[in-house]
C-alpha cells in the first residue's frame, strides 16, 4: 500500500513529491471528486493525505469519502496552515499514520 497526496497548494505537493509521495493538485470540487474516483479504483493506494486547506474548502466531499471509501483519509497541515513547516508536516504524518516520509 502506498500514500497519495491531494492538495490545493503547489508547494506542499512539490515537497511530498520530492519525498517520494505521488499526488495531485485539486482546486475545485470536480477535480477533487475525479481524483477520489481514480484513487478508489487504484488498489495500490491505501492512504490518502488531504491538506487542511483543501479539506476545509470541500468538507462535505471529504466526509462523504471518509464514510464510503476503502481508503484511509487523513488531514495534514499544508504550507498555508499556521502550524506549517516541513518538520511539522512530516512529524504529523509519522504520528497520524505511522509512516516515515
Amino acid at each position: 500500500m502506498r500514500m497519495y497526496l491531494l492538495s490545493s497548494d503547489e508547494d506542499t505537493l512539490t515537497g511530498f513529491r520530492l519525498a517520494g509521495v505521488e499526488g495531485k493538485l485539486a482546486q475545485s470540487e470536480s477535480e477533487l471528486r475525479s481524483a477520489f474516483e481514480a484513487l478508489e479504483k487504484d488498489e495500490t493506494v491505501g492512504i490518502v493525505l488531504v491538506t487542511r486547506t483543501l479539506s476545509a474548502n470541500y468538507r462535505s466531499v471529504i466526509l462523504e469519502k471518509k464514510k464510503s471509501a476503502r481508503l484511509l483519509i487523513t488531514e495534514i497541515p499544508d504550507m498555508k496552515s499556521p502550524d506549517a513547516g516541513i518538520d511539522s508536516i512530516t512529524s504529523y504524518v509519522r504520528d497520524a499514520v505511522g509512516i516515515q516520509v
Side-chain angles (χ1 to χ4, degrees):
M1 291 278 172
R2 62 189 175 96
M3 287 190 292
Y4 195 89
L5 173 71
L6 294 176
S7 176
S8 61
D9 174 42
E10 287 187 46
D11 293 334
T12 304
L13 182 60
T14 300
F16 272 83
R17 283 184 175 163
L18 289 171
V21 177
E22 292 181 47
K24 181 173 177 122
L25 198 63
Q27 296 182 325
S28 69
E29 183 175 336
S30 62
E31 289 177 346
L32 182 61
R33 287 186 182 279
S34 174
F36 269 119
E37 286 176 20
L39 291 171
E40 288 170 346
K41 293 176 184 174
D42 185 348
E43 295 193 13
T44 66
V45 175
I47 301 169
V48 179
L49 306 172
V50 179
T51 57
R52 284 188 185 154
T53 302
L54 185 63
S55 181
N57 290 340
Y58 304 105
R59 174 64 63 200
S60 62
V61 175
I62 301 299
L63 292 175
E64 172 189 324
K65 295 300 179 181
K66 278 186 174 184
K67 291 178 183 176
S68 67
R70 63 163 181 79
L71 304 165
L72 172 62
I73 301 169
T74 188
E75 293 179 31
I76 61 166
D78 55 5
M79 295 305 230
K80 296 179 183 177
S81 297
D83 57 349
I86 297 301
D87 291 336
S88 69
I89 292 173
T90 55
S91 65
Y92 187 84
V93 170
R94 184 182 59 245
D95 294 344
V97 184
I99 297 174
Q100 182 85 20
V101 178

